[in-house]
Amino acid sequence: MTDLDLAAVRAFVTVVDEGQFGHAARVLGITQQGVSKRVAKLESQLGVSLFDRLGSGSAVTAAGAKVLPHARALLAVAQDTVVAARAQVRPLRVAVQGERHVASVSMRYYLDRNPEADVEIVMSTAFRSGRDALLNGRVDATFARQHGGPRALPPGIGAVPAHLEPLHLLVGRDHPLAAQSAVTPAQIAAYPVWVPGASVPSEWADYYREWSEFSGVEIVTGRVPGGSPEREDDREKGRGPFGLEAVLERLAASDTLASFAGDGYRFPWHPHIRRLPIFDPTPAYPHALLWAGAGAHPGLPPLIAHVRENYNGDIGADCWIPESDRPLFLPAPPVPASTAHRAG
């Protein structure tokens, strides 16, 4: 079997595309004589004439016309081989707030059903947010709120609604609301609600500020309720004054203090903690999937499609979310054409 010379094959295809040996020589960066030698070598290997030399250029022979599509395919395979060897695609990097959060659970659900997906999960915090990781190029996508925070998202960031997460109220068993099966914002407003970490500027701190303004519920922050601002090392391995266990112990020991928890957040079990749904309305945190629109990772489209398909927007009618998030999460239904015509 004859081993074809790829340089000779490329010279043949280039002459066909350019119409003249001289033009092909300029494209290939070699002399016209060099092009002729390469084409002649290919003709010798194949045992056929590929061109009829004319005064105005070169015309492909019938044999050359048959060879041409195979030559193009051979060059394409060669290029694919080079790309496969040099450009190994790294895993899709996706930031989530933490392993106990609903986005982390959602990603495990996705990976269980798409075992071929090559995904690296990156944990973020209020101090090292997923949005900042996205804007700095450390991750390809993140689950986060689209609006709020100290650093607005620039144009070109893609977004789809991922999950509306209803908030629950956490109280100790001696709290006046502990015996309720569910509570309203008006009932909660009589008691302070501690949201550890919300003193750190972030999009989720802004969410609780907006919820407080809407509902009249007092939000207190700090390393202890109303105390000094939180520090990043306070949550290391769940220790510190607002590690999970410390928060639950403080709530369990109080007959006035409460806190919020998303219904998808996996708190450690505590026998003295009661978890109460909130209604009329239900505050829901709007988790979006965000990504940089330019140069998107090839593993991103299947994840976007999965998130779109599984968004729980059907619960939105009874939920409160900030006005800035409503266009993405609760878009207004389209106006029928006949109605729009009458309104005009």
Side-chain angles (χ1 to χ4, degrees), residues 14-87:
T14 305
V15 172
V16 173
D17 291 342
E18 298 299 321
Q20 294 184 1
F21 277 67
H23 294 168
R26 286 192 290 273
V27 170
L28 295 172
I30 59 177
T31 65
Q32 184 171 336
Q33 184 180 18
V35 175
S36 296
K37 286 183 177 180
R38 291 183 182 184
V39 171
K41 181 178 180 179
L42 182 60
E43 289 177 327
S44 175
Q45 289 178 319
L46 296 175
V48 297
S49 294
L50 299 173
F51 293 104
D52 290 324
R53 276 66 170 179
L54 307 174
S56 60
S58 301
V60 182
T61 64
K66 290 182 180 179
V67 170
L68 182 60
H70 301 286
R72 293 192 190 280
L74 185 60
L75 293 177
V77 170
Q79 179 63 26
D80 289 344
T81 302
V82 172
V83 171
R86 293 181 180 176

Side-chain angles (χ1 to χ4, degrees), residues 115 126 176 205 218 238 315:
E218 179 190 4
I315 73 168

Side-chain angles (χ1 to χ4, degrees), residues 62-148:
K66 290 182 180 179
V67 170
L68 182 60
H70 301 286
R72 293 192 190 280
L74 185 60
L75 293 177
V77 170
Q79 179 63 26
D80 289 344
T81 302
V82 172
V83 171
R86 293 181 180 176
Q88 296 182 2
V89 178
R90 58 170 175 75
L92 175 70
R93 292 194 287 259
V94 181
V96 299
Q97 185 73 18
E99 62 181 9
R100 293 180 177 274
H101 285 253
V102 67
S104 183
V105 177
S106 172
M107 282 303 302
R108 285 198 296 273
Y109 181 91
Y110 172 72
L111 293 174
D112 285 346
R113 286 152 180 79
N114 297 272
E116 76 288 350
D118 188 9
V119 177
E120 177 184 338
I121 304 299
V122 178
M123 297 298 173
S124 60
T125 67
F127 298 89
R128 291 171 289 171
S129 76
R131 294 204 329 182
D132 284 341
L134 176 65
L135 298 181
N136 294 335
R138 296 196 301 272
V139 299
D140 303 293
T142 184
F143 287 90
R145 186 182 168 207
Q146 184 184 25
H147 297 282

